[in-house]
Amino acid sequence: MSVQKQTPVGRIWKFGDNISTDHILPSRFMTQVKPNELAANCLAGADPEFAKKVQQGDIVAAGFNIGYGSSREQAPQALKWAGVSAVIAKSFARIFYRNCYNVGVPAIVCPQFVEESTEMDLAEINLEEGIVTNLATGKEYRFVKPPAFLVEYIRLGGLIPYVSEKLANPKTESI
């Protein structure tokens, strides 16, 4: 089981409004199932070179309604396997938001951060405190903290590792 860092730090990649799941992982790549194949085509519908440029821990920042369209969970999986440590947006499509947490990628609503940050700024996210810090400017932005069980999903790597952990250790404190 992989336990993931709960305070991701990474460079910011900015995208606009209405980035659909087809932008994140175009349907022509839906037959691919291996993590490296999904990663190689991450955000190919919005920036065909993104997968070549992104680095482990980087953060995607987007405008309104990221993840609308198909409810395919391969879209957040592509982000995860490309190394994206979090998605910060002005708003999320509901199913995409939940699919991000299910695969272990924090989804954070923080419009002011998206508005005021510049691409390639370095940012740090504290999920438990509900703070994202733009390390280039030093400015902190508060967001609504995810529920504790979703923070635990992120810590353990997603829903499946979370359920596996709970089944393996049923007497551990339930969150």
Side-chain angles (χ1 to χ4, degrees):
M1 172 183 340
S2 78
V3 175
Q4 299 186 5
K5 189 175 176 182
Q6 289 179 272
T7 54
V9 176
R11 300 177 304 167
I12 300 165
W13 293 88
K14 292 192 79 170
F15 294 89
D17 296 339
N18 298 313
I19 299 296
S20 71
T21 51
D22 205 46
H23 286 103
I24 298 168
L25 188 67
S27 60
R28 65 184 179 276
F29 302 119
M30 292 301 295
T31 57
Q32 300 172 337
V33 294
K34 295 179 182 174
N36 65 327
E37 294 171 337
L38 295 175
N41 298 297
C42 181
L43 279 158
D47 176 355
E49 300 299 316
F50 177 80
K52 295 175 186 167
K53 300 180 288 187
V54 68
Q55 295 178 4
Q56 190 69 34
D58 285 352
I59 297 165
V60 167
F64 292 103
N65 200 29
I66 185 169
Y68 81 96
S70 167
S71 60
R72 64 181 80 146
E73 69 178 33
Q74 292 90 341
Q77 286 174 332
L79 292 165
K80 177 178 182 173
W81 295 120
V84 172
S85 65
V87 178
I88 303 173
K90 292 181 180 177
S91 69
F92 288 81
R94 184 180 57 85
I95 293 173
F96 178 77
Y97 176 87
R98 190 51 195 253
N99 280 341
C100 283
Y101 279 98
N102 286 347
V103 302
V105 175
I108 297 164
V109 176
C110 193
Q112 189 177 4
F113 173 83
V114 173
E115 283 290 326
E116 297 179 0
S117 296
T118 302
E119 188 158 283
M120 294 297 118
D121 284 353
L122 200 60
E124 179 179 51
I125 301 166
N126 184 326
L127 279 177
E128 292 173 326
E129 297 296 323
I131 299 170
V132 59
T133 304
N134 183 323
L135 299 175
T137 64
K139 186 169 182 178
E140 292 184 348
Y141 301 85
R142 293 211 167 265
F143 59 87
V144 176
K145 296 183 290 188
F149 76 97
L150 290 180
V151 174
E152 187 71 359
Y153 278 23
I154 298 305
R155 186 182 76 76
L156 295 172
L159 174 62
I160 292 174
Y162 175 85
V163 171
S164 296
E165 172 71 17
K166 295 303 173 195
L167 292 174
N169 301 299
K171 292 185 178 184
T172 58
E173 186 175 321
S174 182
I175 296 175

